[in-house]
Structures are given as C-alpha cells and as structure tokens.
C-alpha cells in the first residue's frame, strides 16, 4: 500500500516537472510524505509534518498516563473490555 501511494506521488511529481520542492503532509499524508522523503530525498527540499499519523510527542503526558494506567489491573481490565467492543452504551442498549 505504501509503495502505491509513494509511486503515485512520484509519477505526479514527474508529470508536473518538479525537481526540488517543499513537501507538507497532514495526518496520513504526513506518514506518506515521510515515506516519500525517505525514498526520494533528492527531490524534497524541506519536509513539513502537521499532526502526522504514526508519530507522537515523546513527552506527551497523556501517552505516559495511559501507558502507566494500562499497567495496573484496573487499566488491564478496562483495556480488555474496550478491545472486546464492550462500551458503556452496550449497557444502555
């Protein structure tokens, strides 16, 4: 799938006759832009990522809290229920 997006983008670049450009990607586009820049660095002058999918801040306090909470027995139970598609709405139904 990655190759399809990257190769399609490369074909577009050739059709537009671009040689060296600034590439900006948001969300999943940030992921694809990163992969493109790794494969074709000679064409990317600058890479700008805005909320890219697959990347998180290393010091994100929410991520740290969730990781610590999941390590507890309560967190493990809630995580198991969530992954089993058990939600509070299921009780209401």
């Amino acid at each position: 799938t990655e190759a399809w997006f990257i190769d399609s983008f490369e074909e577009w670049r050739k059709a537009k006759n671009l040689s060296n450009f600034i590439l900006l990607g948001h969300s999943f586009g940030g992921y694809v832009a990163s992969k493109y820049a790794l494969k074709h660095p000679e064409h990317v002058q600058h890479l700008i990522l805005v909320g890219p999918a697959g990347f998180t801040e290393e010091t994100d306090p929410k991520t740290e809290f969730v990781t610590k909470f999941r390590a507890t027995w309560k967190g493990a139970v809630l995580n198991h229920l969530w992954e089993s598609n058990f939600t509070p709405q299921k009780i209401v139904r």
Side-chain angles (χ1 to χ4, degrees), residues 9-30:
F9 192 74
E10 177 62 8
E11 291 301 318
W12 176 84
R13 182 201 63 79
K14 288 177 184 175
K16 295 296 181 182
N17 199 24
L18 299 172
S19 60
N20 198 7
F21 57 93
I22 298 171
L23 181 57
L24 181 139
H26 172 260
S27 192
F28 182 68

Side-chain angles (χ1 to χ4, degrees), residues 5-58:
F5 282 107
I6 294 167
D7 295 343
S8 296
F9 192 74
E10 177 62 8
E11 291 301 318
W12 176 84
R13 182 201 63 79
K14 288 177 184 175
K16 295 296 181 182
N17 199 24
L18 299 172
S19 60
N20 198 7
F21 57 93
I22 298 171
L23 181 57
L24 181 139
H26 172 260
S27 192
F28 182 68
Y31 178 81
V32 173
S34 298
K35 291 294 189 171
Y36 178 85
L38 288 170
K39 187 172 181 180
H40 301 285
E42 68 278 6
H43 299 301
V44 181
Q45 182 180 358
H46 294 287
L47 176 62
I48 302 169
L49 302 176
V50 181
F55 297 89
T56 60
E57 292 182 32
E58 290 181 22

